[in-house]
C-alpha cells in the first residue's frame, strides 16, 4: 500500500508537480473534448455548407431537366456510401427547424433561386433520433445500408434535406457526416505529446530552481554531523534564498557561541591555575605532614576538575576537520592500545567500512567506553556491526554487573560518578560517558547503554553513514 501511495503521490517536488500538471492537462483535455462534442451541429453545418448543399443543388437542377422516368435511375446512380437520394410525392414530416437548420435551409433556398418553387427543409441529427435508411427499392445500394448501420454508432451524424420540385414531388437527400470522437488517435497523440512536453519542462525547471535547496539540505546534514560548513551562496527562488540566509545566520551564531564558550572556559581555567599554584606553594610550608598531604591532594583534585571541565567543553566544540577513515581499523587501533598495557580488550573483526568522521574525537569517545568497560566490567569486547539503513553501530560490551535501569541515563550526566568509593583513583571524574556522548552527538549520532541479558553492560555508538562507502583505503 505504501508503494502504491508513493507512486500516486511521489515524495519529490518535481514528481508531485509533474503529476499535478499532467492531471490538470488531462482534465483540460476532457473539458475541451466535451465542448467540441456539444458543437456537433456546428461541425455538421460546416460540412454540409461545403458538400451536401452543392450536391443537392446539382441534383435538383438535373432532375428538373430530365424526364420523370429517368429520375429514379439518376437518384440511384447518385447514391454512394453514406449518401442516398430519392424522389417522392410525400413531403417531409412537419417539424420546427433549429437555428442551424434554418441557416442551412435559407442558404439552400438562395442557391436554388429560380429552380425550386418552394422553401426546402433541413434536419440535422447527431444522436440517431430519425431513420437514416433510404426507402427500400430496387435501386438501393448495399453501401448506403452498411453506412447507415455504421451511422448508428457514436462518431457519426446525419443530415436530411428535402427540396420541393416543380411537379409537386419532393427530392429527399440523406447524408452521413463523420464527427470527431472523444477518444481518437489525434486526441490521444495530442494528450501524449502535451504531457511529455509539460513533464520535461516541469522537471527541468524544478531541478534548476531547487538546486540551491539540495545544497542547503546537504549543508544542514553536514552541520548536524559536526562538520565545518562554509556560508552558502544566496541563490535560487526567494523562499530558498531566505532559508539559506537563515541557515547561514544560525551557523554563524552557533560558531560564535562555541567560540565564546571555549574562550570563557579557557580564561577561567587559566585564572584558576594561578591561585591554585599559590595555594600549593603555601601548603608546602605546613609543618604537619598529614595536613600538608591532605591540602595538596585537595588542590590536585581541584586542578583535575578544572582540566576535566575544559576537556569536556573542547569535546563539544568543532575543532577537527572531517576525514573518511576505515572504521574497523580505527576501532582495532584503540583496542590494541588497551591490550598492549595488559587490559582484557578484544576486537571482533568486521567488514571494512569507510566512514566520514573526526577520527581524533571518535577515538577519544571509544577510549572512554573501553576505559569504563575495563575499569568496571573487567573486560571489553568491541565489534562493528553491519551497516543498517543510514547508520553503522560500534558496540562495546563488558562482563561486569551492569547498572540499575534507573541509573543508566544518570550515568551520562557530567560529574556524576556511580562508583561507590567516589575516589578519583578508582572512579575518575565522572566525565567519560558525558564526553563520549557529546562527541557522538556532534557526529549526528547517538550513544546508548543497556544491560546485557547474560550480565554486563553494552554500549553502542550509532553513527550516520551519509557519504560512507564500503572498502578499505
Amino acid at each position: 500500500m505504501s508503494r502504491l501511495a508513493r507512486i500516486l503521490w511521489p515524495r519529490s517536488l518535481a514528481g508531485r508537480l509533474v503529476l499535478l500538471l499532467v492531471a490538470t492537462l488531462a482534465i483540460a483535455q476532457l473539458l475541451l473534448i466535451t465542448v467540441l462534442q456539444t458543437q456537433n451541429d456546428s461541425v455538421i453545418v460546416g460540412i454540409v455548407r461545403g458538400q451536401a448543399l452543392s450536391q443537392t443543388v446539382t441534383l435538383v437542377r438535373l432532375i428538373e431537366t430530365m424526364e420523370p422516368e429517368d429520375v429514379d435511375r439518376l437518384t440511384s446512380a447518385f447514391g454512394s456510401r453514406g449518401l442516398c437520394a430519392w424522389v417522392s410525392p410525400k413531403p417531409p414530416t412537419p417539424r420546427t427547424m433549429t437555428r442551424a437548420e434554418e441557416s442551412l435551409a435559407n442558404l439552400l433556398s438562395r442557391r436554388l433561386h429560380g429552380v425550386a418553387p418552394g422553401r426546402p427543409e433541413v434536419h440535422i441529427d447527431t444522436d440517431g433520433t430519425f431513420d437514416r435508411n433510404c426507402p427500400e427499392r430496387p435501386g438501393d445500394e448495399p453501401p448506403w445500408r452498411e453506412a447507415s448501420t455504421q451511422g448508428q454508432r457514436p462518431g457519426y451524424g446525419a443530415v436530411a434535406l428535402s427540396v420541393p420540385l416543380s411537379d409537386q414531388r419532393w427530392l429527399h437527400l440523406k447524408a452521413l457526416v463523420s464527427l470527431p470522437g472523444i477518444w481518437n488517435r489525434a486526441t490521444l497523440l495530442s494528450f501524449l505529446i502535451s504531457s511529455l512536453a509539460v513533464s520535461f519542462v516541469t522537471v527541468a525547471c524544478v531541478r534548476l530552481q531547487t538546486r540551491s535547496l539540495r545544497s542547503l539540505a546537504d549543508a544542514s546534514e553536514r552541520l548536524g554531523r559536526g562538520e565545518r560548513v562554509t556560508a552558502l551562496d544566496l541563490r535560487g527562488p526567494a523562499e530558498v534564498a531566505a532559508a539559506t540566509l537563515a541557515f547561514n545566520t544560525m551557523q554563524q551564531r552557533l560558531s560564535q557561541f562555541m567560540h565564546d564558550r571555549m574562550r570563557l572556559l579557557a580564561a577561567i581555567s587559566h585564572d584558576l591555575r594561578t591561585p591554585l599554584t599559590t595555594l600549593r606553594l603555601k601548603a608546602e610550608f605546613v609543618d604537619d605532614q598529614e595536613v600538608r598531604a591532605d591540602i595538596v591532594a585537595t588542590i590536585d583534585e581541584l586542578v583535575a576538575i578544572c582540566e576535566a571541565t575544559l576537556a569536556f567543553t573542547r569535546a563539544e566544540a568543532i575543532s577537527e576537520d572531517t576525514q573518511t577513515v576505515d572504521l574497523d581499523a580505527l576501532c582495532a587501533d584503540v583496542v590494541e592500545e588497551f591490550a598492549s598495557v595488559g587490559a582484557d580488550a578484544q576486537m571482533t573483526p568486521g567488514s571494512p567500512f569507510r566512514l566520514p568522521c573526526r577520527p581524533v574525537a571518535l577515538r577519544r569517545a571509544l577510549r572512554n567506553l573501553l576505559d569504563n568497560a575495563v575499569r568496571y566490567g573487567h573486560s571489553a569486547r568491541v565489534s562493528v556491526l553491519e551497516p543498517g539503513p543510514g547508520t553503522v553501530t560500534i558496540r562495546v560490551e563488558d562482563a561486569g554487573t551492569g547498572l540499575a535501569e534507573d541509573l543508566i541515563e544518570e550515568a551520562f550526566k557530567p560529574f556524576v560518578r556511580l562508583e561507590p568509593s567516589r575516589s578519583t583513583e578508582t572512579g575518575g571524574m565522572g566525565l567519560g560517558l558525558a564526553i563520549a556522548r557529546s562527541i557522538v552527538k556532534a557526529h549526528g549520532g547517538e550513544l546508548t547503554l543497556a544491560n546485557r541479558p547474560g550480565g554486563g553492560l553494552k554500549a553502542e555508538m550509532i553513527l550516520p553513514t551519509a557519504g560512507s562507502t564500503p572498502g578499505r583505503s
Side-chain angles (χ1 to χ4, degrees):
M1 190 64 183
S2 59
R3 181 177 300 178
L4 179 61
R6 287 196 297 270
I7 294 175
L8 296 179
W9 190 243
R11 296 180 61 183
S12 66
L13 179 61
R16 291 181 178 181
L17 284 178
V18 168
L19 183 63
L20 289 175
L21 287 174
V22 170
T24 304
L25 187 63
I27 294 173
Q29 194 87 357
L30 289 175
L31 291 176
L32 178 61
I33 292 173
T34 303
V35 171
L36 290 177
Q37 289 298 307
T38 62
Q39 301 298 316
N40 281 340
D41 282 1
S42 301
V43 174
I44 291 179
V45 167
I47 297 175
V48 170
R49 281 175 179 272
Q51 182 178 354
L53 290 188
S54 299
Q55 292 174 335
T56 303
V57 171
T58 301
L59 188 57
V60 170
R61 293 182 183 277
L62 289 174
I63 290 176
E64 292 292 350
T65 60
M66 297 181 65
E67 297 296 330
E69 59 271 15
D70 296 327
V71 171
D72 286 343
R73 292 201 305 272
L74 175 63
T75 54
S76 297
F78 192 81
S80 63
R81 184 184 183 88
L83 176 69
C84 74
W86 73 96
V87 175
S88 170
K90 183 178 179 181
T93 303
R95 58 180 297 277
T96 301
M97 290 186 288
T98 64
R99 180 178 299 180
E101 293 168 344
E102 285 277 1
S103 175
L104 286 175
N106 293 334
L107 178 60
L108 181 58
S109 180
R110 289 195 298 270
R111 291 189 181 184
L112 291 172
H113 181 69
V115 179
R119 187 171 185 273
E121 293 191 14
V122 177
H123 179 198
I124 297 175
D125 170 52
T126 58
D127 54 8
T129 57
F130 71 90
D131 182 16
R132 296 174 183 161
N133 292 320
C134 286
E136 291 294 340
R137 64 181 191 278
D140 278 343
E141 294 295 332
W144 165 254
R145 292 197 296 271
E146 179 184 353
S148 65
T149 58
Q150 292 177 352
Q152 302 299 325
R153 303 179 304 172
Y156 282 87
V159 59
L161 301 98
S162 298
V163 181
L165 301 175
S166 57
D167 58 359
Q168 307 301 316
R169 292 189 299 172
W170 287 78
L171 170 65
H172 302 283
L173 186 143
K174 287 185 179 181
L176 290 182
V177 178
S178 177
L179 299 175
I182 295 180
W183 296 113
N184 52 53
R185 182 178 299 177
T187 301
L188 294 176
L189 186 60
S190 172
F191 176 71
L192 179 61
I193 294 175
S194 301
S195 299
L196 291 176
V198 168
S199 301
F200 175 78
V201 173
T202 302
V203 171
C205 291
V206 169
R207 286 188 176 276
L208 183 63
Q209 293 297 318
T210 58
R211 183 180 302 169
S212 53
L213 192 60
R214 290 194 297 271
S215 299
L216 177 60
D218 179 65
S220 300
E221 183 181 0
R222 288 188 286 117
L223 181 65
R225 295 199 304 266
E227 299 183 23
R228 291 178 178 175
V229 180
T230 57
L232 301 177
D233 295 333
L234 300 181
R235 58 184 181 184
E239 296 81 0
V240 178
T244 303
L245 178 61
F247 174 82
N248 289 339
T249 303
M250 177 194 68
Q251 180 185 216
Q252 181 182 6
R253 289 174 178 173
L254 285 175
S255 300
Q256 186 64 39
F257 170 76
M258 294 302 299
H259 178 73
D260 292 344
R261 184 179 180 184
M262 283 293 300
R263 187 170 56 183
L264 174 63
L265 288 173
I268 292 175
S269 177
H270 178 271
D271 292 344
L272 285 176
R273 284 174 182 170
T274 300
L276 287 174
T277 302
T278 303
L279 285 175
R280 186 182 181 92
L281 290 174
K282 290 182 178 181
E284 296 295 337
F285 293 99
V286 176
D287 295 331
D288 191 324
Q289 185 176 357
E290 184 176 348
V291 174
R292 183 173 64 250
D294 186 54
I295 294 176
V296 170
T298 302
I299 294 173
D300 290 341
E301 186 174 359
L302 287 174
V303 172
I305 290 175
C306 292
E307 295 296 337
T309 302
L310 189 60
F312 175 67
T313 307
R314 286 173 178 167
E316 290 185 321
I318 302 171
S319 57
E320 182 186 356
D321 293 333
T322 298
Q323 303 178 35
T324 301
V325 300
D326 186 336
L327 188 61
D328 192 65
L330 183 147
C331 294
D333 290 343
V334 177
V335 171
E336 180 62 27
E337 291 177 14
F338 280 80
S340 64
V341 294
D344 185 5
Q346 297 181 14
M347 171 76 181
T348 301
S351 301
F353 188 81
R354 295 181 62 78
L355 179 75
C357 65
R358 294 187 299 283
V360 175
L362 193 60
R363 285 173 185 271
R364 183 178 183 188
L366 186 57
R367 285 193 190 100
N368 289 353
L369 295 181
L370 263 71
D371 183 68
N372 280 347
V374 171
R375 186 189 299 256
Y376 304 115
H378 314 298
S379 66
R381 301 292 181 267
V382 180
S383 57
V384 178
L385 306 185
E386 286 295 324
T391 61
V392 64
T393 301
I394 303 174
R395 177 178 293 172
V396 179
E397 298 174 303
D398 63 46
T401 58
L403 288 174
E405 293 295 333
D406 58 338
L407 295 179
I408 288 180
E409 192 60 31
E410 193 77 10
F412 288 108
K413 295 181 179 179
F415 300 106
V416 171
R417 295 160 54 187
L418 303 180
E419 197 269 331
S421 70
R422 310 291 294 173
S423 169
T424 57
E425 296 295 329
T426 58
M429 299 300 303
L431 286 174
L433 287 177
I435 292 175
R437 172 174 273 191
S438 178
I439 291 173
V440 173
K441 281 185 174 294
H443 280 78
E446 186 62 48
L447 175 60
T448 63
L449 286 179
N451 288 306
R452 297 172 57 199
L457 203 62
K458 173 181 65 177
E460 289 185 342
M461 289 193 296
I462 305 171
L463 301 169
T465 59
S468 305
T469 55
R472 293 184 184 275
S473 56

